Every structure is written in structure tokens, then in C-alpha cells.
Amino acid sequence: MSVQTAQPAAGLATPAYPPAQHFIGGRWEDPTSGKTSPSVNPATEEAHTQIAAGGAEDVDKAVRAAHDAFRGKDWRRMAPSQRGKILWKLADLIDEQRANLALLETLDTGKTLFDSSKIEIPLVAEIFRYYAGWCTKIEGGVVPLPGNAMGLTLRDPVGVCGLIVPWNFPMLLATWKVAPALACGNTVVLKPSEKTSLTALWMAKLGSEAGLPPGVLNVVTGPGSQAGMALVRHPLVDKISFTGSTEVGRMIQKEAAATLKRVTLELGGKSPNIVFADADQKAALRGATTGIFYNKGEVCAAGSRVLVDRKIYDQFLEALKADTAARTVGPPTDKNTRMGPVCNKAQYDSVLAAIEKGKAGGARLVAGGQSLREKFGKGFFIEPTVFADVDPASPIAQEEIFGPVLSVIPFDSPEQALEIAHNTRYGLAAAVWTRDIGKALSLARDLRAGTIWINAYNLYDPGLPFGGFKESGFGRDLGKDAISAYTESKSVWVNLD
Ligand code: NAD
């Protein structure tokens, strides 16, 4: 593995920061407590700005603004084509602000500027455009009834949606929820991660410039245990859609039960990337490495277990070692960097602890395994790490590490690969690498996971639903499924006599 110098690239623009305030009812609002908390740059370990430390009172204000905006009908009864125009305009404004939004994302998360500016922010705009198109296509149906009567089904917006998102893809994962929720005519209170709130605040401000009526999109920043929990408990919130850890998801489901809120949960994963001997080896290698090292492994669907056909195990492992060793770790603003620091100190500690667990548990460390913090002087840098011959039942093959740590496991037959693939509590994603289409499709049919890639990994499209089986959660973001998730079905019986 090669290492960059710790100096950020020269010539970076000065970021335009949002104020350390919430965005409520169409304007910036101070936190009731008057308190702020730092947003830390993981490459320097320094606070690069402050955000408002919101709590229950701020959430209450935002929920009431969203509730009033929903009752006020300006949004949900707006001509659907006009709603679509506003979402499209928001996409255009995001494109215009791409450089700044991408820079903020990189400073907050440690992801490379290439990824944030060339992949994530453009995808954010695309998702708003995709759902702008849906506004005019949310339809009900007609149902034949006995006698002289007609049945109609309508799709109504759910109401006030509380959207809670994590720090790994801050603006992108917020958009997965905000765009369909708004397209369906709901109003929103968005609670981004307290570690990465900046782009969510700009999203709300740009939404207002695009023409969203006041109160339609509100953002409250602050800790999950306070601002997040207050949103989950608030009686005027109709739905919670949460992306984050399985543990917090479980807690949210329990709390939301008190007011019987609709709940969508997108949680963790331990996704298997299954490589057969007949696969295109070069493509499979690229899928295995980007599957785990893209965004430093801080991807819910990361291919953190690579299952390799024993017939090619040794040669595939050698290639994996060489590719991992050649990956350039360094400051995320440097254009030569392929992997930046992990997002925060808690994550840094937990990834290193998992690596130690792997070493102690007898897995064979074949690449990485060390912190690079000393080497750089500062920053939560960790080497891309590969363990071979991993026992499928061991903690590093079972627990979500959410970092650049790969477990490689051999298998002898498709049946055994399937058994190993299923042997975790998760079911978020999986991939199959083979040239045999019959084998690929039968595995795709049998694998219990929400997304299956065949000869691909980590690819997403606004039209393809995403979500989990088992303890990876339930409900789907994206695609048409999200339109169902943000609407309620209403039946109308019309007596024609
Ligand atoms: P997290 O669960 O700690 O936090 C996620 C969000 O929930 C944050 O906004 C946080 O402030 C809030 N939160 C925390 N405690 C809360 C509480 N008690 N009540 C209400 N809100 C609360 O997760 P994280 O550390 O930010 O993100 C990493 C996790 O997210 C990983 O487990 C990863 O797999 C998962 N994730 C899943 C997906 C998916 O689509 N399935 C996508 C990305 C990340």
C-alpha cells in the first residue's frame, strides 16, 4: 500500500458553510439551547465548523412547521407538475452548487473529492429528477363492486415524515428519502447525523430557493439520542424512515410503536461477494476490492465477505493482496488518493478493535492491519486490510465492521457458498461472479438479500429499490417502492344510485 503526504492539495476552494442553525419553516433558526457542537474533519482531527446542537424543543418546532405545511395544502394539493418542476429546479441548484457540496462532504466524512464530486452529488441531483418525474404519475385505481357502485383507490401522502440518516453518504442517503417523500406530497423533518449535517442544511435552503413552501422541508441537527429520539416520539410525526445501525433501528421500532408510526428501517449488513472459478477474474477482483474499499468500507452494502471457489482460491488471494497493497491511502482532497481516513474517532477505534479481534481469532492477515495515524501525524487513517481463511462463524465474518476490512472465505460448491452467504443475521446485498448464467440466476433467486448483483458490485440506480432482508431492516428506498412507502392507500365506495 502506498501512502500520500499528509498535506491537503493546494488550490482548494474555501468552503461555503451553512450557519450553525436549524432550517425550520423556510428560515434559519437558532438552537433553543443556544449550543453548538463541532463538525470534525477526520483527515485533520480538527473541527472545521460548528452545527446547532438540537434537542426536543427544536424538533417540536420543526414538526409543528411540517404539520402546518401539510395541513395548509400548498404542497400536497399543488398541481403535480408544479411539484415536479420544483424538485427538478432543486436538482439544478444542486448541480450548480456541486463543487461546494462535494467539498463539504469530503471535509466531513474523509471520502475522496473524486467520489463526492463525480459520483455522489451528481447522483443526488439525478434522484431528485427521477422523483420529479413521479409527481405526475402517482395514481390510484378503479375496482369493480357489486350492485350499482364503483370502487376507487387513491394514494394519499402519509403526512409528516421524520427522516433520520447516517454519516457515510450524508446527502445521498438523505435524498433517497427526501425526494420520494416530497414527490408524494408529504412534509419532512430531516435529522442528519450530528457528524455530517452540512449538506442536509444546504439541501433545505436550496429547496426553499427552488420554491418549496415554508415548512415542507425542515432540518434539525443534533445528537441522535436527543433530536433523533424526539422525532421518533413526537405524536405529530406520521412516519419514520431510518437508515443507520441495526441496534438503533431496533430501538426506533420499539419507540415508534407507542404512536404506531409507519416505520422503514435500512440497517447494517455483512454482504457476501461470491466468486466462482469460471468468473472473469479481473472483473471479479475489481468487484471484490471496490466492494470493500469504496468509501473506506463505510458502505451498508459493502462486500465485506468475499467467498472464493477453492479451485482459484490461492491465485485470487494473491491478486487481492497485490491490489490492496497498491491502493493509495491519503488526504481525501488529494487527487491521487484512492482511500481517505475513516469518518470519525469512534469508527476508527471500532475498526482497529475488529482487526485485533481478527488477529486474535486466528484468521490469516494477508494485507494491511495497521493504523496510519502515526505515519500521517494525525487523521483517522487505517490500512486497507484483508484476512484470509476466515472461519465463517468467527466474529470478523459475522459482525459488521463498517470499515476497510475484508474477510476471505473459501468454498467448494454453490450449495456451500449459499450456506455461508446465509450464515449471518443480515441480508442486505450479495453478488455472484460467474459466466454461467444459469448458476448466477439460480443463486440470485435463492439468496436472501434485498439486492443481488451479478458480475457487478456497489451499483445503484434511482429506479432500483434498495433495502434489506432479516436484520438488515424492512421497507425499500428508491424506485417505485418508495412511492408506496410514502403514500397510504385510501378506498372510496361510490354509490351510483
Ligand atoms: P447510527 O445508527 O448510530 O445513527 C444513524 C442516525 O440515527 C444518526 O442520524 C444518529 O444521530 C441517529 N440516532 C442515533 N441514535 C438514535 C436514537 N436513539 N434515536 C433516534 N435517532 C438516533 O448509525 P451510524 O453510525 O450513523 O451509521 C452507520 C450504520 O448505518 C451502519 O450500521 C450501516 O450499516 C448503517 N447504514 C445502513 C444503510 C442501509 O441503507 N441499509 C446505509 C448506510 C448506513
Side-chain angles (χ1 to χ4, degrees):
M1 181 218 41
S2 56
V3 172
Q4 293 288 114
T5 65
Q7 299 308 314
L12 275 186
T14 310
Y17 288 107
Q21 291 174 302
H22 308 300
F23 194 85
I24 299 176
R27 55 172 194 266
W28 298 111
E29 290 271 356
D30 284 328
T32 319
S33 67
K35 290 190 186 142
T36 62
S37 67
S39 218
V40 175
N41 177 347
T44 63
E45 303 187 27
E46 283 155 15
H48 63 118
T49 190
Q50 298 281 320
I51 59 156
E57 286 179 57
D58 305 283
V59 166
D60 183 58
K61 218 188 263 179
V63 170
R64 285 180 192 285
H67 182 66
D68 289 348
F70 187 72
R71 275 197 319 199
K73 300 182 191 171
D74 277 0
W75 184 241
R76 71 188 156 105
R77 291 285 161 78
M78 183 181 280
S81 63
Q82 183 58 24
R83 260 206 327 263
K85 264 191 195 163
I86 293 173
L87 293 187
W88 195 282
K89 172 84 179 146
L90 173 53
D92 289 344
L93 293 179
I94 287 166
D95 276 342
E96 280 170 27
Q97 299 294 322
R98 178 170 64 105
N100 188 54
L101 294 169
L103 179 57
L104 292 179
E105 217 72 315
T106 288
L107 294 175
D108 251 357
T109 63
K111 66 179 70 221
T112 66
L113 204 48
F114 179 88
D115 289 348
S116 55
S117 65
K118 299 279 192 280
I119 300 173
E120 286 178 43
I121 304 300
L123 192 49
V124 164
E126 276 314 293
I127 294 169
F128 274 112
R129 290 197 179 97
Y130 171 83
Y131 282 106
W134 265 107
C135 294
T136 47
K137 295 161 198 76
I138 301 169
E139 302 172 340
V142 180
V143 180
L145 296 179
N148 196 16
M150 184 188 280
L152 306 178
T153 58
L154 309 179
R155 295 220 69 96
D156 267 16
V158 176
V160 176
C161 298
L163 310 179
I164 304 177
V165 293
W167 44 256
N168 54 339
F169 294 97
M171 196 173 194
L172 185 60
L173 292 181
T175 304
W176 282 21
K177 300 180 189 302
V178 170
L182 295 183
C184 294
N186 298 284
T187 59
V188 165
V189 178
L190 170 63
K191 210 301 282 173
S193 167
E194 58 275 33
K195 300 178 177 91
T196 57
S197 295
L198 306 174
T199 48
L201 290 163
W202 277 144
M203 181 195 291
K205 177 70 168 61
L206 293 175
S208 162
E209 287 172 19
L212 290 179
V216 168
L217 175 55
N218 308 277
V219 176
V220 175
T221 60
S225 56
Q226 291 162 44
M229 202 36 102
L231 195 54
V232 174
R233 289 185 175 148
H234 202 295
L236 292 179
V237 173
D238 299 286
K239 175 184 171 97
I240 290 288
S241 182
F242 168 81
T243 297
S245 59
T246 294
E247 285 56 44
V248 173
R250 213 184 298 281
M251 204 150 63
I252 284 180
Q253 192 181 1
K254 253 192 219 157
E255 288 290 333
T259 43
L260 283 177
K261 289 182 174 55
R262 283 85 186 104
V263 176
T264 297
L265 300 176
E266 302 272 8
L267 310 173
K270 193 75 191 175
S271 300
N273 206 343
I274 307 170
V275 183
F276 285 96
D278 64 356
D280 173 340
Q281 302 290 305
K282 243 171 120 181
L285 178 67
R286 207 167 45 242
T289 51
T290 57
I292 186 63
F293 299 132
Y294 182 72
N295 204 47
K296 319 147 256 165
E298 293 166 345
V299 179
C300 51
S304 49
R305 296 181 297 153
V306 168
L307 280 43
V308 184
D309 201 323
R310 201 181 297 275
K311 292 189 212 79
I312 54 157
Y313 186 75
D314 291 339
Q315 73 204 55
F316 195 82
L317 197 57
E318 278 312 306
L320 204 49
K321 260 168 69 176
D323 186 286
T324 305
R327 243 147 230 274
T328 313
V329 177
T333 47
D334 191 307
K335 69 176 177 6
N336 295 318
T337 294
R338 290 184 66 198
M339 204 178 94
V342 301
C343 179
N344 53 70
K345 177 68 164 58
Q347 195 57 24
Y348 170 83
D349 290 340
S350 109
V351 172
L352 289 178
I355 291 174
E356 288 313 312
K357 236 191 230 179
K359 289 179 188 164
R364 184 156 62 96
L365 180 68
V366 295
Q370 301 293 329
S371 162
L372 292 170
R373 199 179 180 194
E374 295 284 304
K375 199 157 195 165
F376 282 115
K378 59 190 169 184
F380 305 127
F381 294 94
I382 296 177
E383 288 182 323
T385 297
V386 178
F387 283 103
D389 313 341
V390 175
D391 174 354
S394 65
I396 55 164
Q398 289 289 320
E399 293 163 12
E400 183 182 46
I401 297 172
F402 216 56
V405 182
L406 179 63
S407 293
V408 188
I409 303 168
F411 68 84
D412 293 298
S413 66
E415 295 72 29
Q416 194 192 12
L418 195 62
E419 191 188 312
I420 298 170
H422 285 163
N423 179 25
T424 75
R425 63 185 176 130
Y426 297 113
L428 193 57
V432 184
W433 297 85
T434 172
R435 287 191 173 103
D436 177 343
I437 189 68
K439 188 159 61 186
L441 288 178
S442 72
L443 272 157
R445 180 194 58 198
D446 293 341
L447 277 162
R448 292 188 41 78
T451 292
I452 315 291
W453 286 290
I454 296 177
N455 298 328
Y457 209 91
N458 258 346
L459 298 180
Y460 304 86
D461 184 88
L464 260 188
F466 185 88
F469 281 35
K470 297 158 69 180
E471 293 188 34
S472 292
F474 48 80
R476 296 290 177 267
D477 281 326
L478 299 179
K480 190 178 176 180
D481 289 34
I483 298 295
S484 307
Y486 289 101
T487 50
E488 299 264 23
S489 174
K490 181 191 274 178
S491 297
V492 181
W493 184 298
V494 187
N495 186 348
L496 300 175
D497 283 334

